[in-house]
Amino acid sequence: PLAARAVRTAVADAGLEPADVRGEGLLTARRPAADHRPQWNNALASYLDFAPRYSTEITMHSAGAISMIEHASMAVREGLVDYVVCTGADAAASLGAAPHIDRGDDRYSNYTAFAGTMDVHPEFEYPYGVVMPAAFAMGARRQMHELGHTQAEFAAASVVCREWGVEFPHATLGHKGPITVADVLASPMVASPIRLLNIMPLGPGGSGGAFVVTSTERAAQLDAEPVYIEGYASRATHEHLTPRLNSQYW
């Protein structure tokens, strides 16, 4: 699995052996769309032959990586463990669908169709045909109306994301080079004000990542160049579209 490969790579990159982290901490982001097993952190631990003393699945909406840093830092600081391996992965090419989608439905195996079932309420929103770009478009339009944001500002975020992609060898669109705000604003409209280049692409085979959190003192002893954590923050406000639109934190 992508997550297992990412974990092994991260552990080696940190100058550690699997035995060094086997009984330490393991945090995972929310389970992949293709895997409906609960307690996905336990499933991954079993696959890796880990026996962590501290482990859970972090399901903070859209902030899983940041929240893993937060939880891992607290665990290390409080002395629960010396190392915490954090990982997340998903594979759009081999998914299952949300529980309210029948296996015979095309949305069970077609990611483009399946994406419309995500982040929308299965009873009060999904039946009306809301798809992902439209869901975010309503939020973007609300921001423009109440906070004065512009399409150019949304485009600037896409430009920065592409800059990161150009520097990352496995990015889906990195090979296409950088883009400009003008490029984004000239791309086809998908759901006003969301345009094609505002939308996140998904890798052909999926994506996964992992990192290891430890103390400053232990990091100095490892044969690796550490990245120091200066701070973190997260907030949970909503799950579905309607509460998101009405959230004072939007």
Side-chain angles (χ1 to χ4, degrees), residues 171-206:
T172 304
L173 297 179
H175 67 285
K176 293 193 173 183
I179 56 177
T180 65
V181 169
D183 291 332
V184 180
L185 296 179
S187 64
M189 184 71 74
V190 176
S192 182
I194 301 298
R195 295 179 177 274
L196 181 63
L197 290 181
N198 289 126
I199 298 174
M200 176 192 73
L202 292 169

Side-chain angles (χ1 to χ4, degrees), residues 138-228:
M138 284 190 278
R141 183 62 68 184
R142 180 93 176 240
Q143 286 192 349
M144 294 174 71
H145 174 69
E146 294 189 352
L147 304 176
H149 292 317
T150 66
Q151 291 192 50
E153 290 175 332
F154 297 149
S158 299
V159 170
V160 172
C161 288
R162 179 66 68 87
E163 289 175 356
W164 293 340
V166 170
E167 299 297 325
F168 183 62
H170 303 298
T172 304
L173 297 179
H175 67 285
K176 293 193 173 183
I179 56 177
T180 65
V181 169
D183 291 332
V184 180
L185 296 179
S187 64
M189 184 71 74
V190 176
S192 182
I194 301 298
R195 295 179 177 274
L196 181 63
L197 290 181
N198 289 126
I199 298 174
M200 176 192 73
L202 292 169
S207 59
F211 52 88
V212 180
V213 175
T214 189
S215 65
T216 302
E217 294 75 19
R218 288 188 178 277
Q221 299 171 11
L222 300 176
D223 185 21
E225 184 175 350
V227 175
Y228 294 98

Side-chain angles (χ1 to χ4, degrees), residues 116-131:
T117 71
M118 301 171 64
D119 288 355
V120 297
H121 195 286
E123 181 178 2
F124 301 113
E125 297 167 1
Y126 170 73
Y128 299 98
V130 178
V131 296

Side-chain angles (χ1 to χ4, degrees), residues 26-32 35-48 50 52 55-59 87:
L26 176 66
L27 299 179
T28 66
R30 63 180 180 180
R31 61 165 178 76
D35 193 340
H36 293 159
R37 287 176 293 179
Q39 299 174 311
W40 195 71
N41 57 303
N42 290 347
L44 182 62
S46 177
Y47 186 90
L48 292 168
F50 280 9
S55 181
T56 192
E57 178 183 344
I58 304 297
T59 60
T87 185

